[in-house]
Amino acid sequence: MPDKKTPERNKARRKGTDPKDIQAMAERVDEAARQGQAIDQFAAGTLNVSDAYAVQAASVERRLRRGEAPIGIKLGFTSRAKMVQMGVEDLIWGRLTDAMLVEEGGQIDLDAYVHPRVEPELAFLIEKPLTGLVTLPQVQAAIGAVAPAMEIIDSRYRDFKFDLPSVVADNASSSGLVLGAWRRADLDIANLGMVMSLDGEVRQVGSSAAILGHPLRALVAAARLVGEAGLSLRPGDVVLAGAATAAEPLRRGQHVELRVQHLGGAEFQVAG
């Protein structure tokens, strides 16, 4: 529904919701991601957050028309470390497609990215539909499996600088994901140690408790957010719960490994 709080926000909404503007901005962020080229963030006041999600949806729809398939969603800004690193306070979400999947133990090419970074996460496999306002017990019952995961984020904005609407429009910086082996869903994941190493050197140490205090709360938030968009989490969907630590920049030739207490790990290589 229209935001009636201030004339300024109404002005931004009227301008941003023009379908031609939405499609033009969607094409801009989609082409930046597709070609691995940096763009300037959208001018202040061009978008509000609601309009930015419309741009995100339109940009991902372009990918689907090229043959990609949706596989789930990711959450952003779910840890205090991430909020501090990015200078924001709002929880956001983005869409995942099969083209973003990086084979566990596989390799990525930095030429496909602008300035990629990697962060340790947990991933959930949805077994029962979830949408709207749900409880922790409902979330627990809807999970089919959990896995260690890493997300490759790659804001397409120049110098990795953006405001909240700009990052939302850019699919919440989502670029790739690496999934470890799926484990049974009834494991206690409230406070698991997580260690991410680059070339054998420990670079980030954290806990799954850094994800909203408990990773399952990320699924509660995910159900609410997609519900607000008129969508749902469906059986087979993957949900990235959000970063447990700050992100690490990726460099050519690096080997990246994540180990999660009781869950195992995941790894990948950056081409030289």
Side-chain angles (χ1 to χ4, degrees), residues 52-74:
Y53 277 113
V55 174
Q56 178 191 121
S59 69
V60 173
E61 180 59 32
R62 290 171 57 89
R63 300 184 187 189
L64 302 185
R65 290 199 297 267
R66 292 197 296 268
E68 298 181 28
I71 61 169
I73 73 165
K74 59 79 58 88

Side-chain angles (χ1 to χ4, degrees), residues 120-270:
E121 306 201 9
L122 294 183
F124 295 106
L125 183 64
I126 302 300
E127 188 174 61
K128 299 177 182 178
L130 276 176
T131 189
L133 299 179
V134 297
T135 64
L136 282 175
Q138 287 175 313
V139 159
Q140 182 72 70
I143 301 169
V146 61
M150 288 180 281
E151 184 182 9
I152 301 169
I153 59 172
D154 185 29
S155 170
R156 271 57 69 159
Y157 299 114
R158 209 173 311 281
D159 300 322
F160 215 87
K161 294 181 179 179
F162 45 78
D163 58 13
L164 183 60
S166 289
V167 68
V168 167
D170 188 31
N171 200 26
S173 299
S174 188
S175 184
L177 65 152
V178 183
L179 299 175
W182 292 109
R183 307 296 183 184
R184 70 179 195 270
D186 61 350
L187 290 172
D188 183 0
I189 60 171
N191 188 23
L192 301 179
M194 303 176 71
V195 178
M196 188 171 70
S197 302
L198 278 67
D199 290 332
E201 177 187 353
V202 174
R203 299 294 287 272
Q204 293 290 339
V205 178
S207 165
S208 59
I211 305 170
L212 291 179
H214 193 302
L216 290 181
R217 291 177 183 157
L219 278 179
V220 172
R224 173 179 55 82
L225 290 168
V226 298
E228 290 172 355
L231 305 172
S232 65
L233 299 175
R234 301 167 298 179
D237 279 351
V238 173
V239 178
L240 289 181
T245 73
E248 287 287 334
L250 289 172
R251 303 284 183 263
R252 295 186 186 279
Q254 283 180 324
H255 177 260
V256 185
E257 182 179 16
L258 170 67
R259 302 301 300 177
V260 180
Q261 184 181 15
H262 304 313
L263 286 186
E267 60 186 280
F268 69 96
Q269 183 78 28
V270 183

